[in-house]
């Protein structure tokens, strides 16, 4: 054990006597100078939640071939409702929320 400590002390002496210095970054102030903190504004984005009524699924109309005109009219109505919901979502999308 004593040999280990002798080697460790010898290494420490060599490092200490070698004149190795820690280089400081050039932008760091000198050791005796206090640094004045500067406030930083952090922008935080808050997204507007989309109401649940605008994410409801539209039913798909189905029926026999004899009712094809009625089914087509029901599908068109569902498509128009879906497009109206998308327009409402687009209107909400660009609005901001205060945290």
């Amino acid at each position: 054990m004593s040999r280990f400590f002798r080697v460790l002390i010898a290494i420490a002496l060599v490092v200490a006597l070698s004149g190795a210095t820690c280089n400081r970054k050039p932008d760091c102030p000198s050791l005796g100078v206090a640094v004045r903190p500067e406030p930083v504004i952090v922008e935080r984005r808050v997204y507007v939640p989309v109401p649940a009524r605008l994410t409801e699924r539209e039913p798909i109309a189905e029926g026999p071939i004899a009712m094809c005109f009625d089914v087509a009219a029901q599908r068109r109505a569902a498509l128009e409702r879906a497009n109206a919901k998308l327009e409402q979502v687009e209107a909400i999308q660009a609005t901001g929320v205060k945290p």
Side-chain angles (χ1 to χ4, degrees):
M1 277 300 230
S2 64
R3 184 173 184 205
F4 174 74
F5 287 119
R6 286 184 202 159
V7 172
L8 189 60
I9 291 172
I11 292 173
L13 285 174
V14 169
V15 170
L17 296 176
S18 68
T21 59
C22 295
N23 293 330
R24 292 172 24 93
K25 291 184 179 180
D27 61 341
C28 292
S30 63
L31 295 176
V33 177
V35 178
R36 178 180 215 137
E38 296 179 16
V40 176
I41 297 174
V42 177
E43 189 174 315
R44 196 175 103 192
R45 293 183 184 216
V46 178
Y47 293 96
V48 179
V50 177
R53 64 181 170 79
L54 297 178
T55 59
E56 292 174 353
R57 305 283 187 238
E58 289 293 330
I60 299 173
E62 295 180 6
I65 194 75
M67 297 181 62
C68 67
F69 295 112
D70 293 333
V71 171
Q74 291 172 6
R75 287 185 178 180
R76 179 181 178 99
L79 186 58
E80 288 175 355
R81 285 191 305 269
N83 285 338
K85 288 180 182 180
L86 287 175
E87 289 174 1
Q88 291 176 2
V89 169
E90 286 175 349
I92 291 173
Q93 188 173 9
T95 60
V97 173
K98 294 181 181 178

